[in-house]
Amino acid sequence: MSGDVLAITEHRRGDLRDVSYELIAAGRQLADALGGDLHLAVISGEVSDFADQLNRDGVDAIHTVDEGEEFNHDVYTQVITQLYDELQPGAVVMPNSVNGLDYAPAVANRLDLPLVTDAIDFSADGTLSVTREQYGSKVETTVEVDADHVALTIRPGEWPAAEGTGEAEIAAFDATIDESAVKSTVTGFEEVGGGDVDITEADILVSVGRGIKEEENIELVQALADALGATLSSSRPIVDNGWLPKNRQVGQSGKVVTPDVYIAIGISGAVQHVAGMKGSDTIIAINTDPNAPIFDIADYGIVDDLFDVVPALTEQFE
Amino acid sequence: MKVLVTVKEVAEVEDEFEIDGLKIDERYLDYDLNEWDDYAVEEGVQIAEENDDVEVVTVTIGPERAEETIRMALAKGADRAIRVWDDSLEAADFIDVATKTDILAAVVEEEQPDLILSGVQAGDDAFGATGVSLADAIGFEWAAVVNALDLDVESGVAHLRRELEGGIEELADVEIPAVLTIQTGINEPRYASLRGIRQAQSKEIAPKSLGDLGLDASVTESEITLTSMYEPESESDATIWEGSADETAGKLAEFLRDKGVGQA
């Protein structure tokens, strides 16, 4: 596999996202394994400011592309394919974020690159091996990529953020945008899930997940929250089902919470949920499946049926 | 207009399972309609209900067993279905994004849909890439992770929301024809009614081989090979309270009281 790595950074509404610094660490790891340089691209927005912030240890070159204010997948796809043609890197590394998933598959298709998404690790010893998760984190798999060039997306939160001050060469890249091929327009942003309760302010969160099975059963968990003087929150499926409003959702697409105590009830611990609550001071999990990923980050746990444990616990506080 | 919905039958793994080589032993798998695709089917059916002359067609890459799942989509209101499978797909260890893209692009060539809806990802391999890859391959516009859709058929524009991280939604307009990848929560998928289930029995599920689509076995060749599958080592250092539900609840209550919880 060819040596150089091109990593595509991400920003939103004027701020670089954390995954951009993680891309530097992941990209450096891959560039070292392949024996090449690490190039970053920063596309749209205040690209010069972003480039200064991204100039950290391990970056060899930063290409700024001053096209538009915010992310647009049609622009990103065109820019990245042109940068790729210019640099001919062995790997294009992109974030496995919502926006990453909105352009990475198109980039891979357009450049005819094999695509491996949601990487949590990789190694290269002649051949690139990528580690992924399947079946809701129940198994890990490795795939080998037998090609000279590859497109990868990396899972946010899996690599440390790069630090230190770098000595990267920063240069503007003149992309040619075919405006007739830009057929999507971002018309605005909205913050969702206001409402009367702010779960990010709560000291104690009692959080309910798919294990609760029926909407009526949420009462059980609400009763516990009331008895504890806690706030009720939930994982995504509860909100998807319309059983609780969006402002109660903890996770990547919901709120990031950091309470003193987080009690996860019937929550398996999908990576998107964990991203929103792993900063809690003490995490307690109640789940029937001893192998549920929630126990990997819990400090305390009960492996039992929530329908037995929750009423018993509520009784203790009533 | 025609709406094509990609539908995948996915395997769900029981709590306890064993891995046999590069697969989970069949005994521990339950098959079901991919959760994200369920929302995509519902969105397609709602578009058909709200507009005149809309046909909803599902397409599945999967073995005959998948027809049970496909019938569920038909029972919920899809008009007919296409299922692509043959010996070379059966023999492939791993069907990568490029292969799925080639197959679905061939189906698009035959069907000429105006809108394609696809789940954001599949619950089993979780690549999350097929919809956008397909859009690029067939020259359609696209949007990934759509959690609200207002389709203006007259003007040919999909007004939509994309669910970004951190409780932020992006509002965007996308020209159709387009591929939209559908996030859970965009709607409330209906249960299949008894009437719908009866009607689904008479709806068409057209089996297609690669040859029927003008493709051959080379489409299954991939530069990506699955080389290992294993249970991740547990990183848990959690203290697990043992005993009956009353006993464990008692221990947790004691712990919480020590932390000052419930003292108010």
Side-chain angles (χ1 to χ4, degrees):
Chain A
M1 186 168 282
S2 316
D4 290 352
V5 171
L6 171 63
I8 314 299
T9 60
E10 181 162 314
H11 57 87
R12 185 191 301 156
R13 301 167 96 186
D15 292 319
L16 284 164
R17 304 196 66 236
D18 292 346
V19 70
S20 294
Y21 301 108
E22 296 159 18
L23 279 157
I24 297 175
R28 187 68 257 165
Q29 180 188 331
L30 190 56
D32 285 345
L34 300 177
D37 287 344
L38 172 61
H39 296 252
L40 298 187
V42 54
I43 307 165
S44 313
E46 299 297 323
V47 290
S48 296
D49 289 352
F50 291 148
D52 289 341
Q53 295 170 56
L54 289 163
N55 195 354
R56 297 195 175 183
D57 266 349
V59 184
D60 296 298
I62 303 175
H63 307 274
T64 61
V65 186
D66 190 7
E67 289 288 348
E69 278 309 301
E70 284 288 350
F71 172 76
N72 177 297
H73 66 233
D74 294 311
V75 172
Y76 267 56
T77 305
Q78 291 189 44
V79 168
I80 296 164
T81 49
Q82 289 170 36
L83 259 174
Y84 179 88
D85 287 343
E86 170 101 4
L87 300 171
Q88 290 291 312
V92 184
V93 183
M94 296 160 278
N96 203 74
S97 58
V98 171
N99 281 348
L101 290 174
D102 198 40
Y103 69 86
V107 167
N109 181 73
R110 208 165 291 185
L111 294 170
D112 200 18
L113 300 176
L115 171 66
V116 183
T117 61
D118 207 18
I120 58 170
D121 199 5
F122 40 67
S123 60
D125 182 14
T127 309
L128 176 68
S129 263
V130 185
T131 307
R132 308 180 70 250
E133 289 183 340
Q134 287 190 200
Y135 300 107
S137 305
K138 284 188 170 171
V139 301
E140 278 184 12
T141 57
T142 51
V143 294
E144 274 186 15
V145 184
D146 182 20
D148 284 338
H149 306 272
V150 67
L152 289 175
T153 70
I154 64 154
R155 178 180 292 180
E158 289 294 321
W159 275 267
E163 293 179 349
T165 309
E167 293 172 359
E169 189 180 321
I170 301 175
F173 178 78
D174 252 339
T176 309
I177 304 299
D178 173 5
E179 293 295 340
S180 70
V182 178
K183 293 181 174 171
S184 62
T185 315
V186 177
T187 57
F189 294 93
E190 261 182 35
E191 204 152 335
V192 293
D196 53 346
V197 174
D198 184 357
I199 58 172
T200 65
E201 295 291 321
D203 295 329
I204 311 159
L205 280 173
V206 173
S207 209
V208 58
R210 206 189 281 267
I212 200 71
K213 292 183 181 146
E214 304 280 342
E215 183 173 12
E216 303 84 79
N217 298 334
I218 295 209
E219 282 174 27
L220 278 179
V221 186
Q222 179 70 63
L224 174 62
D226 291 345
L228 295 176
T231 302
L232 183 67
S233 59
S234 82
S235 63
R236 173 174 199 110
I238 302 299
V239 172
D240 279 349
N241 286 341
W243 298 349
L244 284 176
K246 182 89 182 170
N247 63 342
R248 303 279 181 155
Q249 186 183 325
V250 173
Q252 203 168 65
S253 56
K255 300 285 184 187
V256 174
V257 297
T258 53
D260 297 335
V261 178
Y262 188 89
I263 307 178
I265 297 174
I267 291 175
S268 65
V271 60
Q272 293 86 352
H273 182 76
V274 169
M277 47 67 80
K278 63 185 175 193
S280 305
D281 197 39
T282 301
I283 297 169
I284 299 157
I286 301 171
N287 201 300
T288 46
D289 177 8
N291 300 316
I294 193 75
F295 288 114
D296 286 345
I297 58 148
D299 302 293
Y300 298 89
I302 294 173
V303 180
D304 205 342
D305 191 337
L306 73 90
F307 294 102
D308 295 327
V309 177
V310 171
L313 183 59
T314 306
E315 206 171 287
Q316 295 269 345
F317 286 90
E318 281 179 342
Chain B
M1 89 182 253
K2 190 187 286 185
V3 180
L4 185 69
V5 186
T6 64
V7 167
K8 187 178 183 189
E9 182 194 62
V10 295
E12 291 175 359
V13 182
E14 293 177 6
D15 287 348
E16 300 289 333
F17 61 93
E18 289 170 28
I19 291 169
D20 179 14
L22 295 175
K23 288 180 176 158
I24 293 174
D25 193 295
E26 198 69 30
R27 285 174 295 164
Y28 306 101
L29 298 177
D30 294 316
Y31 291 95
D32 204 352
L33 171 61
N34 179 41
E35 185 179 0
W36 287 264
D37 296 347
D38 194 13
Y39 288 85
V41 168
E42 176 63 33
E43 201 61 25
V45 171
Q46 287 188 13
I47 290 169
E49 288 169 344
E50 288 158 13
N51 296 277
D52 293 332
D53 298 326
V54 176
E55 185 186 30
V56 179
V57 182
T58 69
V59 55
T60 302
I61 301 169
E64 198 170 349
R65 183 197 59 226
E67 292 201 358
E68 199 176 326
T69 292
I70 297 168
R71 292 266 176 231
M72 290 307 292
L74 293 173
K76 290 175 179 214
D79 296 297
R80 61 185 172 87
I82 297 160
R83 181 178 65 81
V84 183
W85 200 247
D86 65 8
D87 290 345
S88 41
L89 284 164
E90 179 75 39
D93 279 335
F94 182 74
I95 301 175
D96 72 5
V97 175
T99 301
K100 288 178 195 168
T101 301
D102 288 345
I103 293 169
L104 294 173
V107 172
V108 169
E109 179 72 30
E110 282 197 349
E111 290 289 330
Q112 299 286 316
D114 303 285
L115 182 69
I116 301 174
L117 304 177
S118 172
V120 165
Q121 62 174 7
D124 49 8
D125 65 15
F127 258 70
T130 304
V132 172
S133 177
L134 173 65
D136 192 64
I138 60 177
F140 277 27
E141 191 44 45
W142 71 87
V145 195
V146 172
N147 71 342
L149 172 62
D150 175 15
L151 183 66
D152 185 342
V153 176
E154 292 279 300
S155 65
V157 176
H159 307 285
L160 52 89
R161 284 170 181 263
R162 296 179 57 237
E163 184 189 69
L164 306 180
E165 296 86 352
I168 305 287
E169 292 184 348
E170 177 194 285
L171 285 66
D173 289 343
V174 169
E175 291 178 25
I176 57 172
V179 179
L180 308 179
T181 77
I182 302 297
Q183 174 64 300
T184 60
I186 188 173
N187 53 41
E188 202 171 324
R190 70 195 68 193
Y191 288 100
S193 65
L194 279 174
R195 184 161 163 266
I197 291 168
R198 270 200 306 276
Q199 284 177 341
Q201 294 307 318
S202 58
K203 290 180 180 174
E204 178 194 14
I205 301 179
K208 301 240 182 218
S209 65
L210 293 177
D212 293 336
L213 294 168
L215 303 169
D216 60 41
S218 66
V219 81
T220 64
E221 288 168 10
S222 174
E223 292 160 311
I224 300 170
T225 316
L226 185 63
T227 51
S228 70
M229 179 180 284
Y230 49 92
E231 282 190 68
E233 277 183 34
S234 172
E235 294 161 11
S236 177
D237 53 4
T239 302
I240 303 292
W241 288 303
E242 309 271 355
S244 68
D246 280 336
E247 287 163 354
T248 55
K251 288 172 190 170
L252 173 50
E254 191 183 331
F255 174 82
L256 291 172
R257 283 200 192 93
D258 284 349
K259 284 208 156 266
V261 177
Q263 306 293 324

